[in-house]
Amino acid sequence: MRYRHLHTVTLGLGIVVLIDVLRVFLPSVITIFGQAATTPAELLGAFALGWFVLALAFPALLRRLGTRPVTLVAAVALAGLRLALTASPGGRAQLWLATAGLVAGLLWLAGTAAGTDRPVPGLASGLALGAVVHAGLGTYDMVWRGGWAGWAGSVVLVGLFLAGTARPAPPVEPGGGARAWLLAGPALLLTGMVALSPALAETGSSYRRGPGDGLASSAAAGDVSALFGWAVAVFLFAALARPPRGYARLLGPLALVLGAVLFAAGEPGWLGPAVLLTAAGVGACLSLAGAAAPIAAPATATAVPDPAGASDASASVEPSAPAGVAAPAVSASAGAPGRPARSSLTAVLGMLLFAVAAVGYYAAYDLGYPNAAVPVAVAGLVAVVALAPALRGGKAAPARAASWAWTGPVAAVSGLVALLATNLPAAEVAPLRPGSPPAEVRVVAYNVRMGFGLDGRFDPDGLARVVAAERPDVVLLSEVDRGWLLNGGHDTLTLLSARLRMPYVFAPAADPLWGDAVLSRFPVESARSERLAALGAPTGAQALGVTLDLGGDARLAVVATHLQPPPGREPVAQARAVAQFALGYADGRPLVVAGDLNTEPGAPAYAEFTRAGLVDAFAAARPLFTSPADDPREQIDHVLVSPGMVAGGPVAPRSTASDHLPVAVTLALPPTATG
């Protein structure tokens, strides 16, 4: 049993390492191979999926070269490439290191599946551990950090993984291996996207604290850790406990589908229930799949060896044990003919399902088709696979999942650890409350590209340094990602808010996890958002209006937006809608409208703002190019103000922390800036 527990721990650690690699590979496909959306979506999708399709050949490779040596080599390669990603400077080197790491990880997974017929404890512990570490690091993972702390954590992780891999695998026992391995990829998707996502827990909590109207504001860390801790505990309890019998086995799959539906609905208030229901449902389905092996008839003879002498296909069946005596384990080279190959193939197929669903879900934001059905379809597939024996009317073997005697304490302790480890940062500084209004306000607008620089590395520290150098009072952010799995599952807004020590108001655009934000040193008096018509544009857009209390009776209206032009056209209709909304929202108060407007001075969409009476704060500094950041040729990031405000010090400081340059300006408030 000592070796079996070690094998479970090693599998869990390997899952954590593989998740680390995926957190680099997936955004690298978008930011490096995708070249800021200039690469055709079809080519980008083919590149991302091709490596998972290639892995379908790995079971045959394992049979030809031997499972054990290939798995060891793949584990060493996976560990080495994981460390290399921390050292990578980004760019093409990062893309190809992450791709090689993915291939090595899939090969390791296929080999591990061939020798592991009861994977659920290892899979569940790996998914939970990866999520807890991700939360403990504030969603800013070790693979991106570098420095002594990042390197120390990375070396310890891969060292423990390799130490466990070097030990021989335990004997293979008959079990629900193939079916459980098929769920590995879908479970990774659903836990990373919903059930065990600390960024989603943070976002859901921030909506509960928001000013209403579907907006979010800085959440307390205690709320986040409580929700996330419960999710981890519920997931582990459901995955490790003995699965229920009869109609009770339907509860887990039903909870999973309901949780996926709540998430797909896109209602911010439903994110918390979606997290808990999906966590319980994924865990329960893994438990059902892991215990769903058909009962084999007792045998008293030894089967005839495979004529080809292939160890994976031979089966030496022991006589049935007397009642009350545990049957001996089947040797690692035994079992039903083809079982190791089936487990290996289903593990790879499960990861292919992960890739197809992930790419299909997020590609919708570029291609414009509805994607809400994707997580629901994956949840339905998981439910069907978990319930397959019952649906066929077959008799399942007695479950050998963990007993309730220790599963409950383990899940409770894990949830407590998750609660204590959750380290999502918060902007702890209180907003300024000046006794008299300031004479001027420094404003920065920045398209942060989900936190990824031109080198393709996730670097919230770099973004924060660029913004902080301008000493802003108000910051307007575009392309804010709060937990998209395809981008690594980071809560970019919370990370930036904490580093700048500025609370935020967030408005969703594409979905509850992606949109625009306003960070301010002044108190927020009120806020409102208006959804903009897409008109053929691939990604949703909105206008976020925030009223800031500058002290006394002075108020400043700020509107943050990111216009999304239809293919080949100007975002004229959206610009007109934003101008109308902004003027109505300001209601005569001083007004600032800023963001990535995707239009240049003199263009038809830009003219909608000037026609409405707004003034270009950068008129005296034109041309002021802002995109692309490494060779700026376009003026598409703007700050527009109401008449009477005087602009000074307009700049677009050079930086490669995003694919856009930030724009900053100091605005002198008119003497009549009172409400």
Side-chain angles (χ1 to χ4, degrees), residues 170-351:
V172 177
E173 296 182 359
R179 186 172 289 109
W181 278 114
L182 181 61
L183 296 188
L188 175 58
L189 177 84
L190 293 171
T191 54
M193 184 182 287
V194 188
L196 300 180
S197 169
L200 185 67
E202 159 71 19
T203 305
S205 298
S206 68
Y207 277 113
R208 290 200 300 272
R209 289 179 169 267
D213 192 36
L215 303 178
S217 60
S218 304
D223 293 345
V224 181
S225 58
L227 175 60
F228 180 69
W230 273 108
V232 172
V234 167
F235 169 75
L236 285 175
F237 186 85
L240 300 179
R242 192 184 303 277
R245 299 184 180 183
Y247 289 110
R249 75 179 68 179
L250 297 174
L251 295 177
L254 288 176
L256 172 59
V257 174
L258 179 58
V261 169
L262 292 179
F263 171 76
E267 290 292 330
W270 294 353
L271 293 181
V275 167
L276 293 176
L277 287 170
T278 308
V282 173
C285 288
L286 284 174
S287 179
L288 287 169
I295 297 177
T300 58
T302 301
V304 177
D306 188 300
S311 61
D312 281 349
S314 62
S316 56
V317 184
E318 298 288 341
S320 57
V325 178
V330 183
S331 67
S333 61
R339 176 178 290 124
R342 285 202 303 273
S343 295
S344 180
L345 180 60
T346 56
V348 173
L349 284 172
M351 292 304 296

Side-chain angles (χ1 to χ4, degrees), residues 54-163:
L54 174 66
L56 294 175
F58 289 168
L61 180 67
L62 292 167
R63 286 196 302 270
R64 177 177 295 274
L65 300 180
T67 297
R68 176 68 177 165
V70 173
T71 305
L72 285 174
V73 170
V76 172
L78 172 61
L81 289 163
R82 162 61 183 82
L83 292 177
L85 285 172
T86 299
S88 169
R92 290 283 173 176
Q94 174 182 298
L95 174 65
W96 291 113
L97 285 172
T99 301
L102 170 68
V103 173
L106 294 175
L107 182 56
W108 165 80
L109 192 70
T112 302
T116 307
D117 226 13
R118 293 193 178 278
V120 170
L123 289 174
S125 62
L127 294 172
L129 178 61
V132 170
V133 172
H134 188 54
L137 295 170
T139 73
Y140 184 20
D141 299 301
M142 292 183 294
V143 69
W144 296 113
R145 286 174 179 254
W148 72 267
W151 274 106
S154 298
V155 169
V156 169
L157 172 63
V158 300
L160 292 174
F161 166 58
L162 290 177

Side-chain angles (χ1 to χ4, degrees), residues 560-586:
T561 191
H562 180 194
L563 301 186
Q564 299 291 323
R569 293 183 289 158
E570 280 272 307
V572 176
Q574 287 188 350
R576 185 182 307 120
V578 170
Q580 293 174 352
F581 166 80
L583 293 173
Y585 179 80

Side-chain angles (χ1 to χ4, degrees), residues 423-490:
N423 188 36
L424 293 175
E428 299 176 355
V429 63
L432 296 175
R433 294 185 179 276
S436 59
E440 56 188 26
V441 174
R442 185 71 171 171
V443 175
V444 171
Y446 202 1
N447 181 326
V448 295
R449 195 169 78 147
M450 293 79 71
F452 290 88
L454 280 183
D455 59 1
R457 293 188 64 80
F458 181 70
D459 186 15
D461 291 328
L463 284 170
R465 284 193 297 270
V466 173
V467 176
E470 297 302 320
R471 303 180 65 85
D473 298 303
V474 183
V475 180
L476 299 89
L477 301 179
S478 305
E479 289 193 14
V480 177
D481 171 24
R482 307 205 59 193
W484 273 6
L485 177 61
L486 194 69
N487 290 329
H490 316 287

